């Protein structure tokens, strides 16, 4: 497959045309260096004026500005401003060339031609050596290195503007991994001894790092020589996260112009505000219940006892629909709808619970790091079939430790990214030696092993479907609903991709002032 080069402005223009936006409402009092770019009520047809500065409230505090120090904590909003990748997300979450001019895939090997009109902010050209260097440094990161090596075994230089990617899969998931993780840094100026807590490696991005204060508010300055065109907003302030209510007021007051991945609790108010826009995106993530205990009738009873629509009504303000696939639709791709199942059916649940050999006099624990309200709905549903539960709302570290220690009996959380496919989900949950310890049959685990032994992803298709059918029968997980993600921003701010709320990749150099 060969993909031709398109200009960055053409790409962004096409994406902007399909933005699914709704009027939204605001937040309060988040101050910060530079503040928002205007004040409420001063922009004529627009209630909040946009100038040449933006303020963004992020969801992660910037502790470092190198993309290869994951343990220190970095913010992708800032990283995508400082560095470019070979590919980028479009409005729908698909991959498009960025620094890549074209690519051609032959099985597990991908040849990528790099644009020859791109320079780092110090004026030096971006070359294949920088791409290989950036991958090698990232691969050696103790946190993320092992993960990226499950997808890509290496990248090598072919010539000054060409690299060869060695993928471990013959589909295009390598492209997602590169887009998510491979920020291109200049090899010649990178200092491995620097923790980059107050400076950044040299990138080719639309912005440079101007300053960071004690509150870790980051100020970015436009790269006027950016290969994609000089950014319209000359200064961008990225503030550390605050709660959604506070962030919403800051938006309404004009003290902030974009809040990333805002909580659903603030969205309804935002939608009623004529000065704000809400971007909604159906993500790759699905809210689910994991069942790590019990025989098959016990798990099947739970599968059918949960009223998914009730959960949506109570916990999700009616947004979305009950899950109809074992994984999120965006993860399922063209396999969506291939495996049908009966969801909520209380009579069927009672038939299954009558067959269980589990001791129903005990109390089972539902552990969750972020969905106590969903867990409480499940608790009430399970009580109707004689299963007594308690909800343990814990932090993420405690949640992870419960899984590591294999003490979690049931858990509620959201699972799914653009880097997962049905077969990789099956491997994640059910492969021998998996982090998860669902009590499924040896026959099901063997099917997963047989599936993984098939080199070509396309050739796995029928077995992948069969495994999902078995998952419906053995019920290690209960899919609840696909999650939506939301961004809220000042009306008239253009170039905010709907997919950004799910990918957390924002291309600030493409933002435009549509108020002009």
């Amino acid at each position: 497959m060969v993909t031709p080069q398109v200009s960055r402005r053409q790409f962004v223009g096409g994406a902007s045309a399909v933005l699914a936006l709704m009027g939204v409402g605001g937040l309060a009092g988040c101050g910060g260096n530079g503040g928002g770019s205007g004040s409420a009520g001063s922009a004529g047809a627009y209630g909040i004026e946009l100038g040449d500065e933006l303020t963004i409230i992020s969801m992660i505090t910037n502790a470092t500005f190198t993309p290869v120090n994951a343990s220190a904590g970095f913010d992708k909003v800032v990283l995508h401003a400082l560095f470019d990748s070979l590919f980028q997300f479009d409005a729908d979450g698909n991959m498009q060339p960025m620094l890549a001019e074209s690519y051609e895939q032959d099985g597990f090997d991908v040849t990528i031609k790099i644009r020859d009109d791109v320079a780092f902010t110090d004026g030096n050209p971006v070359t294949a050596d920088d791409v290989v260097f950036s991958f090698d440094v990232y691969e050696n990161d103790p946190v993320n290195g092992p993960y990226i090596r499950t997808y890509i075994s290496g990248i090598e230089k072919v010539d000054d503007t060409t690299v060869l990617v060695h993928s471990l899969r013959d589909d295009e998931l390598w492209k997602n991994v590169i887009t998510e993780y491979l920020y291109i840094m200049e090899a010649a100026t990178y200092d491995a001894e620097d923790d980059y807590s107050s400076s950044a490696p040299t990138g080719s991005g639309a912005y440079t790092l101007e300053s960071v204060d004690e509150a870790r508010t980051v100020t970015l300055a436009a790269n006027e020589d950016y290969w994609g065109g000089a950014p319209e907003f000359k200064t961008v302030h990225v503030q550390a996260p605050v709660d959604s209510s506070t962030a919403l007021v800051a938006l309404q007051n004009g003290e902030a112009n974009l809040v990333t991945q805002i909580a659903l609790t603030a969205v309804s108010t935002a939608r009623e505000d004529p000065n704000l826009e809400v971007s909604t995106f159906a993500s790759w993530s699905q809210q689910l219940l994991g069942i790590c205990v019990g025989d098959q009738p016990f798990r099947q009873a739970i599968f059918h006892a949960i009223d998914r629509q009730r959960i949506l009504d109570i916990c999700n303000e009616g947004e979305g629909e009950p899950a109809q696939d074992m994984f999120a639709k965006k993860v399922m791709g063209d396999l969506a709808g291939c495996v049908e199942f009966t969801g909520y059916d209380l009579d069927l649940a009672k038939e299954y619970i009558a067959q269980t050999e589990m001791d129903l006099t005990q109390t089972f624990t539902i552990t969750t790091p972020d969905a106590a309200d969903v867990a409480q709905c499940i608790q009430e549903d399970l009580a109707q079939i004689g299963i007594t539960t308690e909800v343990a709302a814990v932090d993420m570290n405690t949640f992870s430790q419960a899984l590591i220690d294999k003490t979690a009996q049931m858990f509620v959380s959201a699972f799914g990214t653009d880097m997962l496919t049905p077969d990789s989900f099956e491997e994640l949950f059910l492969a021998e030696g998996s982090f998860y310890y669902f009590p499924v049959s040896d026959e099901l685990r063997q099917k997963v092993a047989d599936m993984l032994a098939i080199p070509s992803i396309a050739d796995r298709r029928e077995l992948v479907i069969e495994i999902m059918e078995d998952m419906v029968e053995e019920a290690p997980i209960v899919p609840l609903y696909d999650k939506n993600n939301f961004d809220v921003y000042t009306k008239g701010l253009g170039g905010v991709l709907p997919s950004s709320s799910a990918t957390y990749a924002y291309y600030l150099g493409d933002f435009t002032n549509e108020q002009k």
Side-chain angles (χ1 to χ4, degrees), residues 180-195:
E180 287 273 13
Y181 288 115
L182 188 57
Y183 302 88
I184 308 305
M185 303 176 292
E186 186 177 38
T189 57
Y190 185 80
D191 183 359
E193 301 302 316
D194 195 332
D195 65 2

Side-chain angles (χ1 to χ4, degrees), residues 6-14 226 228-232 509-512:
V6 296
S7 76
R8 186 162 177 78
R9 293 300 182 193
Q10 286 173 328
F11 165 72
V12 174
Y226 185 54
E232 188 162 344
D510 297 333
F511 283 14
T512 58

Side-chain angles (χ1 to χ4, degrees), residues 60-304:
I60 298 174
T61 300
N62 285 278
T64 182
F65 299 101
T66 172
V68 293
N69 190 8
S71 59
F74 51 65
D75 180 21
K76 287 172 64 177
V77 173
V78 172
L79 292 187
H80 278 292
L82 300 176
F83 307 101
D84 290 323
S85 302
L86 293 175
F87 294 85
Q88 67 181 47
F89 293 102
D90 66 14
D92 297 320
N94 301 312
M95 308 304 118
Q96 303 293 342
M98 192 178 193
L99 295 187
E101 179 180 277
S102 62
Y103 69 95
E104 187 169 356
Q105 183 164 357
D106 180 14
F108 295 89
D109 290 331
V110 186
T111 301
I112 300 176
K113 187 72 173 177
I114 304 167
R115 298 179 67 119
D116 60 7
D117 60 347
V118 179
F120 289 108
T121 54
D122 61 5
N124 293 324
V126 175
T127 70
D129 289 319
D130 300 301
V131 174
V132 172
F133 167 80
S134 298
F135 177 83
D136 289 346
V137 173
Y138 189 89
E139 186 187 21
N140 289 321
D141 176 58
V143 175
N144 286 317
Y147 182 76
I148 199 171
R149 285 194 295 271
T150 64
Y151 293 93
I152 298 172
S153 61
I155 298 179
E156 62 179 281
K157 174 182 176 181
V158 176
D159 57 41
D160 284 346
T161 58
T162 311
V163 294
L164 182 63
V165 177
H166 298 292
S167 174
L168 295 173
R169 298 170 60 99
D170 62 350
D171 58 3
E172 291 195 341
L173 207 56
W174 58 269
K175 198 187 298 182
N176 298 63
V177 176
I178 283 177
T179 303
E180 287 273 13
Y181 288 115
L182 188 57
Y183 302 88
I184 308 305
M185 303 176 292
E186 186 177 38
T189 57
Y190 185 80
D191 183 359
E193 301 302 316
D194 195 332
D195 65 2
Y196 289 108
S197 60
S198 58
S199 63
T202 304
S204 62
Y207 288 85
T208 59
L209 178 62
E210 182 173 290
S211 65
V212 56
D213 65 15
E214 291 184 359
R216 304 308 291 180
T217 295
V218 176
T219 299
L220 303 171
N223 173 11
E224 297 296 334
D225 298 319
Y226 185 54
W227 62 272
E232 188 162 344
F233 295 99
K234 302 309 177 184
T235 304
V236 177
H237 307 282
V238 182
Q239 296 183 351
V242 296
D243 65 85
S244 289
S245 297
T246 302
L248 183 57
V249 176
L251 281 168
Q252 290 175 319
N253 289 347
E255 298 171 359
N257 307 110
L258 168 65
V259 177
T260 63
Q261 298 190 338
I262 197 166
L264 179 61
T265 52
V267 170
S268 295
T269 303
R271 285 177 174 157
E272 296 172 357
D273 191 318
N275 298 320
L276 300 177
E277 301 270 15
V278 172
S279 173
T280 304
F281 188 78
S283 74
W284 294 267
S285 182
Q286 184 185 73
Q287 194 79 269
L288 61 81
L289 171 72
I291 312 172
C292 301
V293 295
D295 54 22
Q296 187 167 323
F298 178 80
R299 300 192 306 273
Q300 274 284 3
I302 293 173
F303 192 98
H304 296 295

